[in-house]
Amino acid sequence: MGTPAFPNLGKHCSVEDCKQIDFLPFTCDRCNEVFCLQHRSYTTHQCPVANPHDVTVVICPLCAKSVRLIPNQDPNITWETHCNTDCDPSNYQKATTKRRCPVRGCKETLTFSNTIKCKDCLIDHCLKHRFGPDHKCPGPKKPESTFPFVGMLSRSQKNTNSNNSSSWWNTIRASAEASMQKLTIATNQAFSTGASSSGGGALVEQCTQCNARFANVSALIEHAERTHGKNSRVSQKPMVLDICPKCSKGFRDPVLLVEHVEREHGGSSTRR
């Protein structure tokens, strides 16, 4: 074994049926025996102290997925099980295709050390195009409104040519109009009830034909149209005017009367 210049060069394989001399032998890290290239693994030289929990993984050439070899099981059985259950050839291209910078004309391959994600568009770029102006960043996306009816309105406007969207929007609009009408009726009824229960002087509107009193003008008009016909006139209380003692001109506001007297009659506002 060896040469006269190098007497310790090379060792024989420890497998009894092999004993091949190997000038680059492998030493098992479990049993510390020397083996050749063919018997270097735990299974080939049947290492007695090998850990049964050691994991051996092979890469499937069809789907590029890792297949774990189960200890004490024939690898062919494990391979056949993978091909029948978990193998997906469509995954091969996605797993083996290298990611590249999306900037047009850039062929830089994106790896762990040269990939930068833009904080505005959230797209990975290489170090050369990491800044917004370099990759023509469109900027951050506008947040959608949290008010639900705004989104409903925008979606309905985009689909105005669709019959389904038109009928859907008409249904929503009719429902909204019906709700507003019910709310108006309920509000008027609430005001009428409150005015009726506020005291003896609450009925301030009086019908000129039957002297019936009502809490508001709406109730009076409804009574007149229903009882006395639609052409009946509803009288309101005459408006009290302040009369100028000089020229008998009427004013609704006393302040306007005082200003008129001071401006037109020299400040004398004594009534006769």
Side-chain angles (χ1 to χ4, degrees):
M1 182 175 64
T3 63
F6 301 97
N8 297 325
L9 181 62
K11 293 183 180 181
H12 289 281
C13 180
S14 298
V15 177
E16 294 295 333
D17 298 337
C18 181
K19 293 298 182 178
Q20 179 184 357
I21 184 172
D22 197 328
F23 294 101
L24 294 174
F26 296 88
T27 302
C28 179
D29 58 351
R30 296 302 176 89
C31 61
N32 296 323
E33 297 289 339
V34 178
F35 300 95
C36 64
L37 177 64
Q38 183 180 356
H39 299 101
R40 70 185 187 278
S41 63
Y42 299 144
T43 56
T44 54
H45 71 264
Q46 298 179 357
C47 184
V49 292
N51 190 351
H53 296 289
D54 287 342
V55 178
T56 303
V57 177
V58 295
I59 304 300
C60 176
L62 300 178
C63 63
K65 290 184 179 179
S66 58
V67 181
R68 178 178 177 178
L69 299 181
I70 303 175
N72 301 325
Q73 186 180 16
D74 188 0
N76 294 325
I77 298 178
T78 305
W79 176 259
E80 184 178 358
T81 303
H82 164 72
C83 292
N84 294 332
T85 58
D86 194 32
C87 187
D88 184 12
S90 62
N91 184 63
Y92 182 83
Q93 184 177 3
K94 182 174 64 175
T96 56
T97 302
K98 296 181 180 180
R99 296 191 307 145
R100 298 186 181 276
C101 181
V103 177
R104 185 176 181 179
C106 182
K107 299 181 180 180
E108 184 72 19
T109 302
L110 298 181
T111 61
F112 176 78
S113 59
N114 71 338
T115 302
I116 300 295
K117 178 175 288 188
C118 179
K119 64 180 181 179
D120 293 331
C121 61
L122 303 178
I123 300 177
D124 294 334
H125 297 84
C126 64
L127 294 177
K128 182 180 179 181
H129 302 101
R130 64 185 182 274
F131 297 112
D134 296 333
H135 62 263
K136 298 180 181 180
C137 182
K141 296 182 179 180
K142 295 182 180 180
E144 296 183 358
S145 177
T146 56
F147 191 64
F149 292 102
V150 175
M152 294 169 59
L153 181 59
S154 61
R155 287 194 298 268
S156 64
Q157 290 177 351
K158 291 180 181 179
N159 300 326
T160 52
N161 295 329
S162 175
N163 294 330
N164 294 333
S165 61
S166 299
S167 59
W168 173 81
W169 175 248
N170 292 333
T171 304
I172 295 296
R173 184 172 60 182
S175 178
E177 292 177 354
S179 300
M180 290 299 298
Q181 186 176 4
K182 291 181 180 180
L183 180 62
T184 303
I185 295 174
T187 304
N188 294 334
Q189 292 178 354
F191 278 119
S192 300
T193 305
S196 300
S197 60
S198 60
L203 301 177
V204 295
E205 303 296 338
Q206 184 177 2
C207 179
T208 57
Q209 299 186 19
C210 61
N211 296 327
R213 291 183 175 272
F214 300 91
N216 49 49
V217 178
S218 300
L220 174 60
I221 294 175
E222 183 179 358
H223 159 75
E225 292 179 350
R226 183 177 63 252
T227 306
H228 308 295
K230 295 184 178 181
N231 296 326
S232 60
R233 295 183 179 180
V234 179
S235 64
Q236 298 182 355
K237 291 184 177 180
M239 183 176 297
V240 179
L241 299 178
D242 290 323
I243 306 300
C244 176
K246 297 289 186 177
C247 61
S248 301
K249 187 176 181 180
F251 296 91
R252 298 180 181 179
D253 192 353
V255 177
L256 298 178
L257 172 61
V258 173
E259 293 178 354
H260 164 74
V261 171
E262 292 178 351
R263 183 177 61 255
E264 300 294 338
H265 306 294
S268 176
S269 59
T270 304
R271 296 188 179 184
R272 298 178 181 179

